[in-house]
Amino acid sequence: MNAAHAPLTNTAHAPLANAAHAWVPVRCRRAGAGERPVRVLLLHGLGGGPSTWHRFADLAAPHLELLEADLPWSATGTGEWSRQADATPWIRAAVAAAGDVELVVAHSFAANVLLEAAATGGPSIAAVLVSPFYRSAPAEFDWATIESYLDGFHGILDDGLRVSSGDRLAAGLRRDMALRLRERLGPYGWMRFFDSYLRSPLLDTAAVTAPCLVVSGTDDLAAPPRDGRTLAMALPRARFEALPAGHLPMIEQAHRFAELVGEFAATLPLEIT
């Protein structure tokens, strides 16, 4: 049932020894207005951080109570998380720390890890999956795919910095920052990302029974919109929306993205069982 929202106490960093003892700091960015606020957990992607959601939070529907997790694969993370093959414990820990969550909004790598967690026993929570990586069959991966994502990893990071900084950074400085971020994430971080992509055709998507909204950018070179569209078709209760954006539609099309999330949240049942 939809219990009263509990206060959050999980607001400081703690050592992450291993996935079995995963612990994720979560804080309330904004309380929800009205008699029945909807509690929403925001999960950033690889190399991102809570700041990913600044523009969306400014525009989100007033009744949405926004919580943000600082996941270990943030831009300031230590990389210890990536030594473990399974990243789902951190998603489960974030959901547990957030309390009575009714909607999870997850971007990129976090969307994939959330999907994998839901397909393997939970959490079964309505989700907005933003710029997910998904292919329907293992045969869709070849050596050229690996080369593209390995050689182009710093380019993906560079473009993320460009969008999030609003072009305030000079191209040369931004490239240097992207390369430093790539070094911080390291080979293990990249492998965890590509592992999740390679596993996507093997997921039991039929087990993901919660309603989902899949959002992709039409110009996303990292997670092309065909990935999102194919994923939405594979999920039992999902719809797909494409926005004129790249890999960060919640920033590039913040107004429309906020509308979509608000509309989707309004369709959720009043009671969570």
Side-chain angles (χ1 to χ4, degrees):
M1 300 296 291
N2 187 28
H5 288 174
L8 298 179
T9 58
N10 194 4
T11 56
H13 286 280
L16 297 175
N18 54 58
H21 300 90
W23 188 89
V24 174
V26 172
R27 73 179 184 91
C28 183
R29 171 186 279 274
R30 191 194 75 181
E35 294 182 0
R36 188 191 176 278
V38 176
R39 178 169 278 200
V40 181
L41 175 63
L42 307 174
L43 304 176
H44 64 79
L46 183 65
S51 62
T52 297
W53 306 106
H54 282 350
R55 292 199 64 193
F56 164 67
D58 290 341
L59 299 166
H63 70 289
L64 300 183
E65 178 184 352
L66 302 180
L67 315 176
E68 55 191 18
D70 193 355
L71 293 158
W73 48 77
S74 72
T76 58
T78 64
E80 292 179 16
W81 71 274
S82 64
R83 310 299 191 265
Q84 308 294 323
D86 182 9
T88 60
W90 281 283
I91 293 293
R92 298 174 193 271
V95 171
D100 188 21
V101 172
E102 296 169 75
L103 176 62
V104 179
V105 182
H107 178 240
S108 191
F109 176 66
N112 277 68
V113 182
L114 176 65
L115 181 66
E116 188 163 356
T120 55
S124 180
I125 301 172
V128 179
L129 305 173
V130 189
S131 306
F133 295 85
Y134 182 81
R135 301 202 181 185
S136 60
E140 295 181 22
F141 291 100
D142 55 21
W143 288 111
T145 308
I146 298 175
E147 292 171 355
S148 172
Y149 281 96
L150 183 59
D151 295 340
F153 190 41
H154 72 281
I156 296 172
L157 299 174
D158 181 276
D159 191 60
L161 289 169
R162 178 189 64 80
V163 173
S164 60
S165 69
D167 290 322
R168 291 187 299 272
L169 298 174
L173 174 60
R174 194 178 66 233
R175 179 180 181 276
D176 290 344
M177 291 175 64
L179 291 173
R180 287 198 296 271
L181 178 55
R182 185 182 67 174
E183 290 303 308
R184 176 181 287 274
L185 294 171
Y188 282 93
W190 183 87
M191 282 297 298
R192 295 293 78 79
F193 149 67
F194 206 71
D195 276 348
S196 72
Y197 201 3
L198 289 172
R199 285 195 301 271
S200 63
L202 310 177
L203 295 179
D204 180 12
T205 53
V208 184
T209 57
C212 294
L213 170 65
V214 182
V215 180
S216 294
T218 56
D219 303 318
D220 191 344
L221 299 179
R226 67 171 182 270
D227 283 26
R229 185 178 294 106
T230 303
L231 174 59
M233 292 174 62
L235 294 170
R237 301 171 62 192
R239 67 184 180 93
F240 175 70
E241 292 283 348
L243 299 181
H247 194 56
L248 295 158
M250 64 285 209
I251 297 176
E252 297 168 270
Q253 292 291 329
H255 284 86
R256 182 56 184 146
F257 182 82
E259 288 176 352
L260 286 172
V261 174
E263 292 165 3
F264 180 68
T267 69
L268 301 180
L270 292 179
E271 296 295 331
I272 306 299
T273 57

